[in-house]
Amino acid sequence: MSSEPVVALSPKTWDEIKTTTCYMCACRCGIKVYLKDGTVTYIDGNRDHPVNKGVICGKGAAGIKQHYSPGRLSKPLIRVGERGSGEFREIEWEEALQTATSWLGNVRKTDPKKLAFFTGRDQSQGLTGWWATQFGTPNYAAHGGFCSVNMAAAGLYTFGGSFWEFGEPDWKHTKYFLLFGVAEDHGSNPIKAGLGKLKKRGAKFVSVNPIKTGYSAIADEWVGVRPGTDGLFVGAIIHELLNAGQIDGDYLNRYTNSPWLVIDNKGAADHGLFARDENGGTLVWDAHKKAPVTTSDHDAARALMGRFTLPDGRKVATSFQLIAERYLAPENAPDAVTERCGVPADTIRRLAAELAHVAFKETVTLDVPWTDFTGRRHEKMIGRPVAMHAMRGISAHANGFQTCRAIHLLQIMLGTIDTPGGFRYKAPFPRPIPPHIKPTGKPDQIWPNEPLPGPPLGFVTGPEDLLLAADGTPQRIDKAYSWDAPIAAHGMMHMVITNAAKRDPYGIDVLFMYMANMSWNSAMNIPDTLKYLTAKDEKTGDYIIPKIIYSDAYASEMVHYADLILPDTTYLERWDCISLLDRPISEADGPADSIRQPVVEPERDVRPFQTVLLDIGARLKLPGMTTPEGTARYPGGYPDYIVNHERAPGVGPLAGFRGVDGTQSGKGAPNPNQLQAYIDNGCHWFYELPDEHKYFKHVNKGYLEWATGFGLIGKPEPIIHQLYCEPLQKFRLAAEGHGAIQPPDGHRARIIEAFDPIPFWYPPFEGDLVDEVAFPMHAVTQRPMAMYHAWGSQNSWLRQILGRNWLYIAKERAHTLGIEDEDWVTVTSHHGQIKGQAKLMNGVNPDTVWTWNAIGKRSGTWGLKKDAPEAKQGFLLNHLISELLPEREGGYRFSNSDPVTGQAAWYDLRVRVEKAVDQSNISSPQFPTLKNLGVGQ
Ligand code: SF4
């Protein structure tokens, strides 16, 4: 009898399981980390977690390799050679902290704005923004300016919410889902799970995207639009709906500013503003009384459309009259836009008809009574089950703000926002339009050794809110909130290094960055960025950017160009909070937040950045971080802050388990056992709204009262959608010569064009300014499903999925260019040239080439071998993109950004693609190999 070998099929690989929150992308799923003898052996999804309900994706599971990456930094470093030489000396933390404090202290006691403090995709902006406020510098932002500020600002100035993590389709009831410009890295697990639900129910899913990968590949219909023309496509759908009378007039009249009266007084200072009564209240036209009445008169017979004359003789029109006139114009007809946007006119007409059919003939009715803000009771919740979602494909264009506003206009005309089946807000949204926070950093708000009176970032409502010096020049180093980009609500990180090196508008003393790879994949125009980081003053021989402090967990390209390195922990080694004060993980059914707890202790000499920041703050005696006695207010570091910091009385970073006994939510005294309560609850907290508060939140009396008590909004007032955006018109009037604060002459035409209060489309600037014949193709990037951060390409598991990138091109187009599969090609823009290897595919807009972003690495970085494919075959489009637009009239070079929000216009890139003469197996440009600063294998 043969004996079978005994094989342990399921050996127990763990002796302990701890919950925490994933950081491998921005979804922040709950995870369970399995440990054996203190070593991470396995990561799984947490079934109880509201975000992922147990699902784990490939990135999340590969977090082990992130944690044990050879690219990790291990010790504080101070530069001893030239920038870029990789010559550093290891130092102790005390020396590092003293050095940082001394550099920063000198800035604070002289001119605090000479500190530029910028962070990347970090998840602690509630802390970092507050720290900048306490320091007293307006020069603060995270990476939103080059990621999604168009998305955020367009939503917040239109309907008090936004796409991305601030809302989601009603996955349970949506019957028609339109997805614009979303690559598969975004909303990873939640969107995948949501699409699964739609597919199961047979809902239609349409993806509008030049590239058919990821989500688009499983869409029922793929619309391969030409990059930067989505606004034309949406405008034509709106044209069709208006022509057919397929709009939700009742929703528009009740819940939007469509019936508000707009003054028609061309050339005057009130032209395009809302007509107001003597108390400043906006007006609507009462069709029965044939007279204007205040918008708070809810019994009025509001005219949705029409042109009227006020008793004082001024002409007015309703907002919606103006909107309808714009979109009914022949230039918005499908036949007029089809060639430019690359979508057949019949397809546009059919999609418009399908949207209308689902919205108006397939309504969803929930047997849930609710009361609107006027006190009117509704016996049921009736929804129009069309939902939309959008992301960077819309956002990263110079026309992204207005395009995104157009998408919101489309949703709102169909009456779908926060109705069953529509797009739903997630707490803390909806918020007033725009949120009642103004940016600070005016000249009289910056003083040595003083905090700012408010946060650096906020929402302007007119020229008076801009951050301008006495001579009208920008107050911020990135020129956010100046005439270059008045509504730059997330700052303009992509301009910091260029402006600082050019001392335009002024020089800075310290550049302090966290987790932002600004010398490589987060830079537009890498070659010049490297020059700027190493540029020296001809007279003194000192670096023009005198001091650079950088914190990161990994030996990225940026580390080599900094002077002082503060090594961060991995996400499994630290406390964190995913806070309602920052970018929360709420669900549409209610607010949620979560924590990270350290599941392992670092074996390297590294410290969590957030704790280091609080330590430096206390050493600098920043008011919020210091007791009246002068000691550290949060001696226990970040976890101490998470529990005890109060932004307003009773409001702290975490909303759950508040009050001394942990029984309060939202508001409540600090609870010393709060973190343990989170741990006991799987590291998250969720409050489910009662059914009557789950929809129509912007106008739902019960919800608005609850949200006020909970601390999400200041007053229980309705959040009326602003289809016509009056703040934009105020900037336009200033550019036309009205008011005390006006733009310089060279900026006027651009403000007048872009600050249209009604959404519209204009060509992306790069295509408008460069020769489209010389550069006939668009070039864009996507993040792959397997990688989100730039750090994904150092992950030994994920590298096996994608170890290098390719330039993807439509088969037929490639053949006309004489390019075969795997040929090396040159890609040339008005700014530079790269060489990469081509892959031919179907499913890409024929005028577009694309590649996976941030896969290309500089040789010697991230703990990779110097000949790693990421370095030798990988490439970046960044070399081709200029951070500045070509010179315009007057010689001034505007940033390559949306003129409204300052959003970096990465996707406006125009290129020429040719078969390379040099077919050698190496990409270009190649830069000298950097020293490997990681811990090694
Ligand atoms: S979707 Fe993102 S947060 Fe969730 S498990 Fe994957 S990587 Fe982690």
PDB file of all heavy atoms in Angstrom, residues 8 77 130 165 205 212 218 248 251 309 342 424 458 527 564 579 680 684 754 795 802 815 839:
ATOM      1  N   ALA A   8       0.180  19.882   3.953  1.00  0.00           N
ATOM      2  CA  ALA A   8      -0.659  20.834   4.696  1.00  0.00           C
ATOM      3  C   ALA A   8      -1.297  21.781   3.689  1.00  0.00           C
ATOM      4  O   ALA A   8      -0.631  22.658   3.131  1.00  0.00           O
ATOM      5  CB  ALA A   8       0.193  21.605   5.698  1.00  0.00           C
ATOM      6  N   LEU A  77      17.770  61.997   6.788  1.00  0.00           N
ATOM      7  CA  LEU A  77      18.954  62.297   5.969  1.00  0.00           C
ATOM      8  C   LEU A  77      19.109  63.802   5.816  1.00  0.00           C
ATOM      9  O   LEU A  77      18.114  64.522   5.723  1.00  0.00           O
ATOM     10  CB  LEU A  77      18.797  61.694   4.556  1.00  0.00           C
ATOM     11  CG  LEU A  77      18.594  60.187   4.447  1.00  0.00           C
ATOM     12  CD1 LEU A  77      18.205  59.808   3.016  1.00  0.00           C
ATOM     13  CD2 LEU A  77      19.864  59.445   4.869  1.00  0.00           C
ATOM     14  N   TRP A 130      -4.648  72.808   8.556  1.00  0.00           N
ATOM     15  CA  TRP A 130      -4.727  73.506   9.848  1.00  0.00           C
ATOM     16  C   TRP A 130      -3.323  73.906  10.307  1.00  0.00           C
ATOM     17  O   TRP A 130      -3.117  74.996  10.838  1.00  0.00           O
ATOM     18  CB  TRP A 130      -5.412  72.575  10.857  1.00  0.00           C
ATOM     19  CG  TRP A 130      -5.494  73.095  12.250  1.00  0.00           C
ATOM     20  CD1 TRP A 130      -6.334  74.077  12.710  1.00  0.00           C
ATOM     21  CD2 TRP A 130      -4.732  72.653  13.373  1.00  0.00           C
ATOM     22  NE1 TRP A 130      -6.132  74.264  14.056  1.00  0.00           N
ATOM     23  CE2 TRP A 130      -5.155  73.390  14.482  1.00  0.00           C
ATOM     24  CE3 TRP A 130      -3.746  71.685  13.546  1.00  0.00           C
ATOM     25  CZ2 TRP A 130      -4.608  73.211  15.760  1.00  0.00           C
ATOM     26  CZ3 TRP A 130      -3.219  71.500  14.814  1.00  0.00           C
ATOM     27  CH2 TRP A 130      -3.643  72.258  15.898  1.00  0.00           C
ATOM     28  N   GLU A 165     -15.398  61.155  -4.430  1.00  0.00           N
ATOM     29  CA  GLU A 165     -15.808  60.489  -3.201  1.00  0.00           C
ATOM     30  C   GLU A 165     -16.914  61.234  -2.466  1.00  0.00           C
ATOM     31  O   GLU A 165     -17.304  60.823  -1.387  1.00  0.00           O
ATOM     32  CB  GLU A 165     -14.597  60.312  -2.287  1.00  0.00           C
ATOM     33  CG  GLU A 165     -14.018  61.608  -1.773  1.00  0.00           C
ATOM     34  CD  GLU A 165     -12.500  61.632  -1.863  1.00  0.00           C
ATOM     35  OE1 GLU A 165     -11.974  61.547  -2.993  1.00  0.00           O
ATOM     36  OE2 GLU A 165     -11.854  61.724  -0.834  1.00  0.00           O
ATOM     37  N   PHE A 205     -25.317  50.775 -18.893  1.00  0.00           N
ATOM     38  CA  PHE A 205     -24.108  51.483 -18.480  1.00  0.00           C
ATOM     39  C   PHE A 205     -23.412  51.991 -19.736  1.00  0.00           C
ATOM     40  O   PHE A 205     -23.013  51.208 -20.600  1.00  0.00           O
ATOM     41  CB  PHE A 205     -23.219  50.525 -17.670  1.00  0.00           C
ATOM     42  CG  PHE A 205     -21.788  50.960 -17.493  1.00  0.00           C
ATOM     43  CD1 PHE A 205     -21.429  52.308 -17.394  1.00  0.00           C
ATOM     44  CD2 PHE A 205     -20.773  50.008 -17.387  1.00  0.00           C
ATOM     45  CE1 PHE A 205     -20.105  52.692 -17.230  1.00  0.00           C
ATOM     46  CE2 PHE A 205     -19.451  50.382 -17.217  1.00  0.00           C
ATOM     47  CZ  PHE A 205     -19.113  51.733 -17.153  1.00  0.00           C
ATOM     48  N   LYS A 212     -11.084  52.515 -24.251  1.00  0.00           N
ATOM     49  CA  LYS A 212     -11.990  51.457 -23.811  1.00  0.00           C
ATOM     50  C   LYS A 212     -11.226  50.408 -23.012  1.00  0.00           C
ATOM     51  O   LYS A 212     -10.935  49.328 -23.512  1.00  0.00           O
ATOM     52  CB  LYS A 212     -12.657  50.822 -25.033  1.00  0.00           C
ATOM     53  CG  LYS A 212     -13.772  49.874 -24.712  1.00  0.00           C
ATOM     54  CD  LYS A 212     -14.340  49.289 -25.994  1.00  0.00           C
ATOM     55  CE  LYS A 212     -15.455  48.309 -25.700  1.00  0.00           C
ATOM     56  NZ  LYS A 212     -15.932  47.659 -26.913  1.00  0.00           N
ATOM     57  N   ILE A 218     -16.354  47.044 -19.945  1.00  0.00           N
ATOM     58  CA  ILE A 218     -17.558  46.247 -19.619  1.00  0.00           C
ATOM     59  C   ILE A 218     -18.831  47.077 -19.763  1.00  0.00           C
ATOM     60  O   ILE A 218     -19.899  46.676 -19.328  1.00  0.00           O
ATOM     61  CB  ILE A 218     -17.470  45.630 -18.204  1.00  0.00           C
ATOM     62  CG1 ILE A 218     -17.375  46.715 -17.128  1.00  0.00           C
ATOM     63  CG2 ILE A 218     -16.310  44.652 -18.098  1.00  0.00           C
ATOM     64  CD1 ILE A 218     -17.815  46.226 -15.751  1.00  0.00           C
ATOM     65  N   ASP A 248     -37.243  68.216 -16.382  1.00  0.00           N
ATOM     66  CA  ASP A 248     -38.079  68.138 -15.186  1.00  0.00           C
ATOM     67  C   ASP A 248     -38.340  69.557 -14.674  1.00  0.00           C
ATOM     68  O   ASP A 248     -37.639  70.072 -13.806  1.00  0.00           O
ATOM     69  CB  ASP A 248     -37.363  67.296 -14.119  1.00  0.00           C
ATOM     70  CG  ASP A 248     -38.275  66.990 -12.944  1.00  0.00           C
ATOM     71  OD1 ASP A 248     -39.264  67.731 -12.746  1.00  0.00           O
ATOM     72  OD2 ASP A 248     -37.998  66.015 -12.223  1.00  0.00           O
ATOM     73  N   TYR A 251     -38.871  70.022 -10.843  1.00  0.00           N
ATOM     74  CA  TYR A 251     -37.625  69.969 -10.061  1.00  0.00           C
ATOM     75  C   TYR A 251     -36.847  71.279 -10.242  1.00  0.00           C
ATOM     76  O   TYR A 251     -36.348  71.863  -9.290  1.00  0.00           O
ATOM     77  CB  TYR A 251     -36.800  68.769 -10.536  1.00  0.00           C
ATOM     78  CG  TYR A 251     -35.559  68.445  -9.724  1.00  0.00           C
ATOM     79  CD1 TYR A 251     -35.572  67.424  -8.771  1.00  0.00           C
ATOM     80  CD2 TYR A 251     -34.370  69.136  -9.932  1.00  0.00           C
ATOM     81  CE1 TYR A 251     -34.435  67.106  -8.056  1.00  0.00           C
ATOM     82  CE2 TYR A 251     -33.223  68.825  -9.214  1.00  0.00           C
ATOM     83  CZ  TYR A 251     -33.260  67.804  -8.282  1.00  0.00           C
ATOM     84  OH  TYR A 251     -32.125  67.501  -7.563  1.00  0.00           O
ATOM     85  N   THR A 309     -40.139  92.739 -17.423  1.00  0.00           N
ATOM     86  CA  THR A 309     -39.651  94.064 -17.063  1.00  0.00           C
ATOM     87  C   THR A 309     -39.997  94.325 -15.598  1.00  0.00           C
ATOM     88  O   THR A 309     -41.151  94.141 -15.180  1.00  0.00           O
ATOM     89  CB  THR A 309     -40.306  95.151 -17.943  1.00  0.00           C
ATOM     90  OG1 THR A 309     -40.063  94.830 -19.316  1.00  0.00           O
ATOM     91  CG2 THR A 309     -39.723  96.520 -17.633  1.00  0.00           C
ATOM     92  N   GLY A 342     -16.221  63.699 -32.336  1.00  0.00           N
ATOM     93  CA  GLY A 342     -15.959  62.322 -32.760  1.00  0.00           C
ATOM     94  C   GLY A 342     -17.068  61.355 -32.411  1.00  0.00           C
ATOM     95  O   GLY A 342     -16.849  60.141 -32.416  1.00  0.00           O
ATOM     96  N   ARG A 424     -26.258  60.575  -5.758  1.00  0.00           N
ATOM     97  CA  ARG A 424     -26.554  60.845  -4.339  1.00  0.00           C
ATOM     98  C   ARG A 424     -25.376  61.491  -3.628  1.00  0.00           C
ATOM     99  O   ARG A 424     -24.220  61.112  -3.824  1.00  0.00           O
ATOM    100  CB  ARG A 424     -26.900  59.528  -3.622  1.00  0.00           C
ATOM    101  CG  ARG A 424     -28.064  58.807  -4.227  1.00  0.00           C
ATOM    102  CD  ARG A 424     -28.351  57.527  -3.461  1.00  0.00           C
ATOM    103  NE  ARG A 424     -28.861  57.811  -2.117  1.00  0.00           N
ATOM    104  CZ  ARG A 424     -28.953  56.898  -1.147  1.00  0.00           C
ATOM    105  NH1 ARG A 424     -28.544  55.656  -1.370  1.00  0.00           N
ATOM    106  NH2 ARG A 424     -29.428  57.222   0.032  1.00  0.00           N
ATOM    107  N   GLY A 458     -10.245  78.009   0.287  1.00  0.00           N
ATOM    108  CA  GLY A 458     -11.670  78.247   0.500  1.00  0.00           C
ATOM    109  C   GLY A 458     -12.327  78.571  -0.825  1.00  0.00           C
ATOM    110  O   GLY A 458     -11.799  78.241  -1.894  1.00  0.00           O
ATOM    111  N   PRO A 527      12.307  68.003 -17.344  1.00  0.00           N
ATOM    112  CA  PRO A 527      13.671  68.542 -17.476  1.00  0.00           C
ATOM    113  C   PRO A 527      13.828  69.929 -16.855  1.00  0.00           C
ATOM    114  O   PRO A 527      14.800  70.191 -16.137  1.00  0.00           O
ATOM    115  CB  PRO A 527      13.877  68.583 -19.001  1.00  0.00           C
ATOM    116  CG  PRO A 527      12.935  67.554 -19.536  1.00  0.00           C
ATOM    117  CD  PRO A 527      11.754  67.580 -18.633  1.00  0.00           C
ATOM    118  N   LEU A 564      16.637  68.043   3.378  1.00  0.00           N
ATOM    119  CA  LEU A 564      16.387  67.355   4.642  1.00  0.00           C
ATOM    120  C   LEU A 564      15.256  66.358   4.416  1.00  0.00           C
ATOM    121  O   LEU A 564      14.185  66.737   3.945  1.00  0.00           O
ATOM    122  CB  LEU A 564      15.964  68.383   5.714  1.00  0.00           C
ATOM    123  CG  LEU A 564      15.576  67.826   7.081  1.00  0.00           C
ATOM    124  CD1 LEU A 564      16.770  67.173   7.789  1.00  0.00           C
ATOM    125  CD2 LEU A 564      14.991  68.942   7.963  1.00  0.00           C
ATOM    126  N   SER A 579     -11.341  61.436   7.915  1.00  0.00           N
ATOM    127  CA  SER A 579     -12.190  62.326   8.706  1.00  0.00           C
ATOM    128  C   SER A 579     -13.231  63.053   7.878  1.00  0.00           C
ATOM    129  O   SER A 579     -12.992  63.407   6.716  1.00  0.00           O
ATOM    130  CB  SER A 579     -11.256  63.355   9.374  1.00  0.00           C
ATOM    131  OG  SER A 579     -11.974  64.416   9.928  1.00  0.00           O
ATOM    132  N   ASP A 680     -12.436  48.475  18.437  1.00  0.00           N
ATOM    133  CA  ASP A 680     -13.423  47.448  18.807  1.00  0.00           C
ATOM    134  C   ASP A 680     -14.507  47.315  17.738  1.00  0.00           C
ATOM    135  O   ASP A 680     -15.175  46.281  17.634  1.00  0.00           O
ATOM    136  CB  ASP A 680     -14.069  47.795  20.151  1.00  0.00           C
ATOM    137  CG  ASP A 680     -13.063  47.737  21.292  1.00  0.00           C
ATOM    138  OD1 ASP A 680     -11.976  47.145  21.091  1.00  0.00           O
ATOM    139  OD2 ASP A 680     -13.340  48.298  22.372  1.00  0.00           O
ATOM    140  N   HIS A 684     -13.830  51.486  12.139  1.00  0.00           N
ATOM    141  CA  HIS A 684     -14.692  52.403  11.386  1.00  0.00           C
ATOM    142  C   HIS A 684     -15.925  52.744  12.204  1.00  0.00           C
ATOM    143  O   HIS A 684     -16.223  52.112  13.223  1.00  0.00           O
ATOM    144  CB  HIS A 684     -15.100  51.776  10.055  1.00  0.00           C
ATOM    145  CG  HIS A 684     -15.852  50.479  10.209  1.00  0.00           C
ATOM    146  ND1 HIS A 684     -17.210  50.403  10.354  1.00  0.00           N
ATOM    147  CD2 HIS A 684     -15.396  49.196  10.265  1.00  0.00           C
ATOM    148  CE1 HIS A 684     -17.581  49.147  10.485  1.00  0.00           C
ATOM    149  NE2 HIS A 684     -16.503  48.392  10.441  1.00  0.00           N
ATOM    150  N   ALA A 754     -13.974  82.922 -20.125  1.00  0.00           N
ATOM    151  CA  ALA A 754     -14.088  81.681 -19.340  1.00  0.00           C
ATOM    152  C   ALA A 754     -15.108  81.776 -18.211  1.00  0.00           C
ATOM    153  O   ALA A 754     -15.693  80.769 -17.814  1.00  0.00           O
ATOM    154  CB  ALA A 754     -12.727  81.307 -18.767  1.00  0.00           C
ATOM    155  N   ASN A 795       6.142  47.800  -6.307  1.00  0.00           N
ATOM    156  CA  ASN A 795       5.549  46.699  -5.551  1.00  0.00           C
ATOM    157  C   ASN A 795       5.792  45.396  -6.309  1.00  0.00           C
ATOM    158  O   ASN A 795       5.327  45.217  -7.435  1.00  0.00           O
ATOM    159  CB  ASN A 795       4.035  46.981  -5.408  1.00  0.00           C
ATOM    160  CG  ASN A 795       3.344  45.974  -4.543  1.00  0.00           C
ATOM    161  OD1 ASN A 795       3.378  44.777  -4.814  1.00  0.00           O
ATOM    162  ND2 ASN A 795       2.713  46.459  -3.487  1.00  0.00           N
ATOM    163  N   LEU A 802       2.284  44.714 -14.286  1.00  0.00           N
ATOM    164  CA  LEU A 802       2.658  45.827 -15.151  1.00  0.00           C
ATOM    165  C   LEU A 802       4.047  46.306 -14.750  1.00  0.00           C
ATOM    166  O   LEU A 802       4.186  47.046 -13.774  1.00  0.00           O
ATOM    167  CB  LEU A 802       1.630  46.947 -14.944  1.00  0.00           C
ATOM    168  CG  LEU A 802       1.392  47.910 -16.084  1.00  0.00           C
ATOM    169  CD1 LEU A 802       0.935  47.174 -17.332  1.00  0.00           C
ATOM    170  CD2 LEU A 802       0.357  48.929 -15.675  1.00  0.00           C
ATOM    171  N   HIS A 815      -1.444  51.946 -38.750  1.00  0.00           N
ATOM    172  CA  HIS A 815      -1.081  51.468 -40.098  1.00  0.00           C
ATOM    173  C   HIS A 815      -0.870  52.628 -41.058  1.00  0.00           C
ATOM    174  O   HIS A 815       0.044  52.605 -41.873  1.00  0.00           O
ATOM    175  CB  HIS A 815      -2.149  50.497 -40.613  1.00  0.00           C
ATOM    176  CG  HIS A 815      -2.147  49.210 -39.833  1.00  0.00           C
ATOM    177  ND1 HIS A 815      -3.278  48.459 -39.596  1.00  0.00           N
ATOM    178  CD2 HIS A 815      -1.145  48.554 -39.183  1.00  0.00           C
ATOM    179  CE1 HIS A 815      -2.975  47.397 -38.873  1.00  0.00           C
ATOM    180  NE2 HIS A 815      -1.674  47.427 -38.608  1.00  0.00           N
ATOM    181  N   LYS A 839       1.931  49.801 -28.802  1.00  0.00           N
ATOM    182  CA  LYS A 839       1.047  48.636 -28.842  1.00  0.00           C
ATOM    183  C   LYS A 839      -0.189  49.059 -29.619  1.00  0.00           C
ATOM    184  O   LYS A 839      -0.737  50.143 -29.370  1.00  0.00           O
ATOM    185  CB  LYS A 839       0.613  48.238 -27.426  1.00  0.00           C
ATOM    186  CG  LYS A 839       1.590  47.334 -26.715  1.00  0.00           C
ATOM    187  CD  LYS A 839       1.322  45.880 -27.071  1.00  0.00           C
ATOM    188  CE  LYS A 839       2.215  44.968 -26.260  1.00  0.00           C
ATOM    189  NZ  LYS A 839       2.339  43.657 -26.901  1.00  0.00           N
TER     190      LYS A 839
END
